Amino acid sequence: MVIIKTSHEIEQIKKSCVLTANTIKFVAEKIKPGVKTRSLDQMAESFIIKHGGKPSFKGYGLPGNEFPASICVSINDEIVHGIPGDRLLQEGDIVGIDIGTNLNGYFGDSAVTVGVGKISKIAQKLIETTKESLFAGIKAAISGNYIGDISNAIQSTAERNHFSVVREFVGHGVGLKVHEDPQIPNYGRSKTGLRLEKGMVLALEPMVNEGDYHTIYGQDGWTVKTADGKLSAHFEHSIAITMEGNEILTLAGES
Ligand code: MG
Ligand code: MG
């Protein structure tokens, strides 16, 4: 069931989203060669807690298989859900940082992909295209349009640039829980699916691959990787559908 939020709820969700965005900004600025992914996790966790929130990914999942960290760090061929650990960032890597916050019971969710030092031309193009796909999706996310319009905008932007979109993982409703209905695939046909309306809060999150879209799981049971070992990038914003269009909630700023 899709939860339509009141303006009071959207205000509260926005506060959490600003914290999410500020945390991403704080962590992204620390990315450089030689940094251990676990230390990114630790600095994100303390930043979130210092600002009155809780990392919403920590402990997320089915009993016995809870996500063990506060943020996801997915490097190069890792698409999403990478677990921070002892790995050191290297010059030329691309790093996806995905962060969820819970502030007073309201949830924000956002992700970026950044290069470590100097990266290859194809890596740069992949990052730019993924971001462009996200913004094409956001542009289509207006009252009266359909979920399929978002999906199609994302897919066509990625494919026009000769990349592919991951099928198994999707955008989602967000705000009162980490993941809510509806699911928002990153591929699909225009004018299909649920109609968008004011008060929906949605996390759009294209995962775009350099090669084909097939995925495999890493040995930790969480990390999702490209089956062909090529690069993948991920961007995500939480947005609210408004009367006039939409508002991106996960923008850094004063909280
Ligand atoms: Mg996310
Ligand atoms: Mg998400």
Side-chain angles (χ1 to χ4, degrees):
M1 195 192 74
V2 178
I3 308 168
I4 302 298
K5 276 82 176 180
T6 64
S7 51
H8 171 75
E9 286 171 330
I10 291 175
E11 258 172 55
Q12 299 304 311
I13 295 165
K14 186 174 175 179
K15 287 181 188 167
S16 188
C17 286
V18 171
L19 175 56
T20 311
N22 288 344
T23 312
I24 289 208
K25 183 163 179 263
F26 177 71
V27 171
E29 282 164 359
K30 304 293 186 292
I31 286 178
K32 58 177 187 195
V35 171
K36 198 176 272 190
T37 56
R38 182 180 288 115
S39 76
L40 297 176
D41 184 58
Q42 287 162 345
M43 57 182 88
E45 181 171 307
S46 32
F47 187 94
I48 293 167
I49 291 169
K50 194 174 91 185
H51 291 88
K54 282 186 273 191
S56 58
F57 297 166
K58 198 169 198 174
Y60 186 84
L62 298 172
N65 189 35
E66 295 93 347
F67 192 74
S70 292
I71 66 173
C72 302
V73 180
S74 307
I75 303 172
N76 297 337
D77 62 325
E78 297 173 352
I79 301 168
V80 283
H81 305 162
I83 301 175
D86 291 325
R87 186 165 175 182
L88 302 177
L89 300 180
Q90 289 184 30
E91 177 94 17
D93 283 344
I94 63 168
V95 187
I97 303 285
D98 191 352
I99 299 184
T101 56
N102 170 356
L103 185 65
N104 305 320
Y106 298 92
F107 294 85
D109 192 356
S110 185
V112 293
T113 300
V114 294
V116 182
K118 191 172 162 46
I119 61 173
S120 68
K121 264 194 185 148
I122 190 77
Q124 191 62 48
K125 189 184 174 204
L126 180 67
I127 287 175
E128 280 162 16
T129 299
T130 309
K131 200 175 190 177
E132 195 188 326
S133 301
L134 171 59
F135 281 92
I138 291 172
K139 200 173 165 202
I142 56 173
S143 172
N145 271 2
Y146 297 83
I147 297 276
D149 293 317
I150 301 175
S151 307
N152 189 264
I154 290 172
Q155 179 181 21
S156 53
T157 305
E159 293 182 354
R160 196 189 312 132
N161 287 282
H162 312 288
F163 295 127
S164 67
V165 288
V166 170
R167 268 49 172 173
E168 292 93 337
F169 300 87
V170 296
H172 51 90
V174 67
L176 306 185
K177 289 190 285 182
V178 179
H179 293 121
E180 299 172 8
D181 288 338
Q183 294 201 343
I184 308 167
N186 293 306
Y187 67 101
R189 285 187 296 122
S190 301
K191 308 260 176 291
T192 61
L194 187 74
R195 197 148 200 181
L196 302 170
E197 58 179 287
K198 176 179 173 281
M200 290 180 176
V201 179
L202 308 172
L204 309 190
E205 50 176 318
M207 288 143 259
V208 178
N209 291 355
E210 177 193 1
D212 83 24
Y213 58 73
H214 291 104
T215 63
I216 52 171
Y217 272 95
Q219 284 181 338
D220 59 28
W222 273 102
T223 311
V224 182
K225 309 202 251 187
T226 59
D228 61 13
K230 293 188 176 179
L231 298 174
S232 186
H234 179 211
F235 279 85
E236 178 177 23
H237 270 309
S238 300
I239 67 169
I241 309 296
T242 62
M243 279 296 255
E244 304 79 28
N246 62 57
E247 181 184 359
I248 300 175
L249 303 178
T250 38
L251 295 177
E254 225 161 286
S255 56

